[in-house]
Amino acid sequence: MARRGASPRDQRMRVSLIREAARLMAEEGIKDYFTAKRKAAQRLGAADTHNLPKNQEIQDALIEYQEVFGGAEHLAQLHELRREAVKAMELFERFRPRLVGPVLLGTADSSSGVQLHLFADTPETVLFFLMDRGIPFDPDERRLRFGKDGWAVLPVFRFMAGNTEVELTVFNENGLREAPRSEVHGRPMERASLNEVRSMIDGAEV
């Protein structure tokens, strides 16, 4: 967590920034790591600092914060969101869905949605699937990074399943081979299959 050559004061400020950014994400529903870090820096009177922590440090602190302060309520929310994820993944099973994001990583809260990656010949295949089943949706796009410098803009469809938003990002059939880079650690994004999510739920119920 501490950086080489940093003074004790800088190290203490970095730890404070990590904890405050995690608290803001947990309590105020901030989803963007950079926004949380900048707001934390302003709250701590260090708006001009260049010693901002890494996203991974914030995520680790967020998980710890939710474990300490969220307790049973947070675990119940997370469990319910994973159950909603399973329902959505069963619906879109023909598209080999993969769960990603906060619901998979354990950082989700009551305002979080279910994020799925789907794989199809064309985005229209998913669009017609939604239309055939009378599911109202909002189309969008997402820019994702692949490898070191590659970027792609992918279609997104969002719809409500009860009180939970489900977000579908559609990849081509080869999209399973390479996951986009995570904004948290820069490595390929964590993904979970339907059976893996079911196992997570079964493990939580033991």
Side-chain angles (χ1 to χ4, degrees):
M1 187 178 293
R3 290 187 172 182
R4 290 182 180 179
S7 68
R9 180 179 179 182
D10 287 342
Q11 293 177 13
R12 288 194 296 271
M13 175 55 73
R14 187 179 181 83
V15 170
S16 296
L17 286 170
I18 291 170
R19 290 174 176 169
E20 178 63 10
R23 187 192 68 79
L24 289 170
M25 295 185 79
E27 295 186 3
E28 299 188 12
I30 297 175
K31 305 301 181 185
D32 179 70
Y33 284 90
F34 182 77
T35 300
K37 286 187 281 189
R38 278 299 177 193
K39 192 167 185 178
Q42 293 173 353
R43 291 276 182 91
L44 297 174
D48 297 328
T49 184
H50 296 290
N51 189 30
L52 292 176
K54 296 179 180 179
N55 292 349
Q56 182 70 67
E57 294 175 303
I58 305 299
Q59 179 178 279
D60 293 343
L62 176 57
I63 292 173
E64 181 180 351
Y65 185 94
Q66 289 170 327
E67 287 176 349
V68 173
F69 296 101
E73 181 179 355
H74 172 253
L75 289 177
Q77 290 174 348
L78 183 59
H79 184 72
E80 182 58 31
L81 284 167
R82 287 175 174 167
R83 289 175 62 87
E84 290 296 329
V86 165
K87 293 178 185 177
M89 295 174 83
E90 290 173 342
L91 176 62
F92 294 97
E93 191 166 8
R94 62 176 286 193
F95 300 108
R96 294 173 291 171
R98 296 294 186 269
L99 178 63
V100 300
V103 176
L104 172 61
L105 300 175
T107 58
D109 56 33
S110 59
S111 65
S112 297
V114 170
Q115 299 177 2
L116 301 180
H117 287 179
L118 304 186
F119 308 90
D121 289 332
T122 67
E124 287 74 22
T125 307
V126 177
L127 184 151
F128 293 144
F129 183 89
L130 289 164
M131 293 177 65
D132 287 345
R133 283 153 183 78
I135 300 174
F137 63 88
D138 293 317
D140 201 351
E141 293 180 335
R142 170 156 293 166
R143 188 169 182 259
L144 296 172
R145 182 164 67 95
F146 293 83
K148 279 191 174 182
D149 303 308
W151 292 87
V153 177
L154 299 177
V156 172
F157 302 103
R158 295 187 181 91
F159 67 93
M160 296 301 297
N163 295 321
T164 303
E165 181 182 76
V166 178
E167 178 184 279
L168 312 172
T169 302
V170 184
F171 296 71
N172 62 32
E173 292 287 358
N174 295 323
L176 267 173
R177 298 179 182 176
E178 180 187 4
R181 298 288 172 140
S182 167
E183 67 169 339
V184 176
H185 47 64
R187 299 185 299 277
M189 189 180 295
E190 296 88 346
R191 287 168 163 172
S193 68
L194 175 55
N195 284 337
E196 288 171 333
V197 180
R198 285 172 174 159
S199 294
M200 295 172 71
I201 293 173
D202 291 341
E205 291 178 343
V206 173

